[in-house]
Amino acid sequence: MKTAEIRTHSRAQTLALAERFSSALKGGEIVFLRGPIGAGKTVFVKGIAAALGLKSSPTSASFSLMKEYKNKKHRLFHIDLFRLEESEVFNLGFEEMLEDDNAIILAEWPDPIRQMLPADRLEMDFILKEGDEREIKLQSFGRVSDALLEALCKAAKN
């Protein structure tokens, strides 16, 4: 397990960070995003989707639980499990997602699916600070997510 911490100071910086980070996403990655409402989780997802050239802009998936965005090169699943318990998420189609080696899985409020997804994942905890500042704590759990953590730290320096 590797850990790191980065900061953004505005919505625009969070979007730019996600856009720079997106070049590290090739498919098969899982990223857990946690933090309070308004902490920047969905903004981060929007930045990734825009940089990948996905036509639709992600919105909070809280009411639909899972949204899929794709183009010829990428397939992104945006999952938002706010207010759900583990027993309520068994029939959402995770098996199909996991069978697609090109799928990028971004899961907000991921705790109900922690045991259903592979252990190799990047976890991002968004912490609200003063004003528009966000502290983002990172933890990687495996070879793929270790590389993602390093790419995200590099993106934060640019």
Side-chain angles (χ1 to χ4, degrees):
M1 177 178 75
K2 292 184 178 181
T3 63
E5 190 175 294
I6 57 180
R7 289 183 182 258
T8 62
H9 301 280
S10 67
R11 181 181 196 278
Q13 267 192 344
T14 301
L15 279 170
L17 173 67
E19 289 171 0
R20 290 190 302 270
F21 170 65
S22 69
S23 65
L25 300 171
K26 307 299 182 207
E29 299 91 1
I30 300 170
V31 180
F32 286 0
L33 303 106
R34 288 190 298 262
I37 293 172
K41 300 177 302 294
T42 302
V43 169
F44 192 81
V45 174
K46 284 177 181 279
I48 289 172
L52 295 177
L54 302 173
K55 291 181 181 178
S56 298
S57 179
T59 58
S60 177
S62 292
F63 297 106
S64 61
L65 304 180
M66 181 168 41
K67 291 185 180 181
E68 177 183 357
Y69 303 92
K70 62 184 175 179
N71 60 21
K72 291 180 181 179
K73 294 172 83 176
H74 304 284
R75 188 173 183 199
L76 182 139
F77 289 95
H78 179 210
I79 304 165
D80 189 327
L81 301 173
F82 184 62
R83 292 191 211 108
L84 289 185
E85 299 295 326
E86 185 175 344
S87 63
E88 298 174 295
V89 297
F90 283 106
N91 295 317
L92 291 179
F94 293 120
E95 297 81 17
E96 177 187 317
M97 268 188 325
L98 296 172
E99 289 172 2
D100 185 347
D101 292 336
N102 296 316
I104 299 164
I105 301 169
L106 305 177
E108 295 186 41
W109 308 93
D111 290 332
I113 59 171
R114 177 180 299 280
Q115 302 305 318
M116 296 176 197
L117 298 180
D120 193 336
R121 67 189 178 278
L122 176 66
E123 295 189 5
M124 302 177 67
D125 288 294
F126 289 72
I127 301 163
L128 295 166
K129 295 295 184 179
E130 289 189 31
D132 288 333
E133 186 176 8
R134 304 297 189 260
E135 178 181 274
I136 306 169
K137 293 188 177 188
L138 310 171
Q139 287 185 302
S140 60
F141 298 88
R143 183 186 53 79
V144 171
S145 59
D146 286 349
L148 290 179
L149 183 141
E150 291 173 19
L152 194 49
C153 289
K154 183 178 177 182
K157 292 178 183 176
N158 292 336

